[in-house]
Amino acid sequence: MEASGRLCAEPGCTEPGEFRAPPAEGRHGFDGPAQYRWLCLEHVRAFNSGYNFFAGMSPDEIHDAQRPLAGWERETRAFNATGGADRPPRWADFSDPLDAIGARFREKMKDRAERKDGKPLSGKDREALRTLALELDSDRTALRKRYSELVRKYHPDRNGGDRSHETKLQQVIEAYQQLKSSPAFA
């Protein structure tokens, strides 16, 4: 109830407009919803008595809206027996028709794969492991051992001057440098 000097919006009424009501035409203007109108007690009662929530609804829609449990068809986490504390939400609990959650999750997880020790691997780390033909759970010792094997195999000073493997040698060196500075091998 607010009566800050407003008069009732009904034509010819001189009572204070204390009660807020939607506009008479019920339309929205170009810049959003129309301003509320202020009515006196008598006119707001008349307005409320003429209001029909079910106007424009089919009999089936009216029946569905009047059911005692309308809107309570499924149990929510907050109202189940344990309050949802027994399990986190599952992907099946979400409706994601535009794949917004799934796409964001896949994008985030694209550069993260975890080793057995729980240390994260980036996409570059995984690519370097493939270049060196190492497993995800390899440690720093296995990394150094594999690096020296491949350098001996591809370096021209070690393989009789064959320079055809220089590109492969460069890839091995880059992969080793990547993994050596990676937190997963720290």
Side-chain angles (χ1 to χ4, degrees):
M1 255 187 339
E2 293 181 24
S4 58
R6 292 186 185 97
L7 290 179
C8 180
E10 284 294 317
C13 183
T14 59
E15 295 292 317
E18 299 178 281
F19 303 95
R20 191 170 70 165
E25 66 278 352
R27 293 179 300 179
H28 297 290
F30 178 74
D31 292 331
Q35 295 294 317
Y36 285 101
R37 58 192 176 130
W38 295 90
L39 302 175
C40 65
L41 180 61
E42 179 185 342
H43 288 116
V44 83
R45 283 182 177 160
F47 171 80
N48 287 341
S49 67
Y51 179 74
N52 183 2
F53 175 81
F54 302 108
M57 288 184 162
S58 71
D60 289 335
E61 290 171 330
I62 293 171
H63 174 72
D64 288 341
Q66 289 180 329
R67 287 181 310 142
L69 300 177
W72 296 92
E73 285 83 15
R74 66 185 182 108
E75 186 179 74
T76 62
R77 290 181 58 211
F79 295 109
N80 67 12
T82 61
D86 58 337
R87 68 171 179 84
R90 298 171 301 199
W91 283 110
D93 292 343
F94 298 99
S95 173
D96 190 14
L98 300 176
D99 195 35
I101 297 171
R104 187 173 176 193
F105 176 77
R106 281 191 300 281
E107 183 66 29
K108 185 176 181 181
M109 292 294 118
K110 183 173 70 172
D111 289 337
R112 288 188 72 179
E114 289 198 358
R115 295 162 28 114
K116 289 180 184 175
D117 57 5
K119 294 181 179 178
L121 289 171
S122 70
K124 289 182 178 182
D125 291 345
R126 284 184 277 128
E127 182 64 35
L129 285 171
R130 280 193 290 273
T131 300
L132 297 175
L134 288 172
E135 297 295 322
L136 283 177
D137 59 349
S138 300
D139 60 358
R140 200 165 178 86
T141 306
L143 172 65
R144 279 192 297 256
K145 182 178 177 186
R146 182 66 179 152
Y147 172 70
S148 12
E149 288 172 5
L150 292 174
V151 166
R152 279 194 298 274
K153 179 177 178 182
Y154 295 126
H155 198 281
D157 292 345
R158 294 292 199 125
N159 64 14
D162 184 7
R163 299 186 73 117
S164 62
H165 300 292
E166 283 183 357
T167 305
K168 185 65 176 169
L169 175 64
Q170 187 61 36
Q171 291 172 350
V172 167
I173 293 170
E174 288 173 8
Y176 177 71
Q177 293 297 326
Q178 171 67 33
L179 293 174
K180 185 173 78 168
S181 62
S182 170
F185 287 90

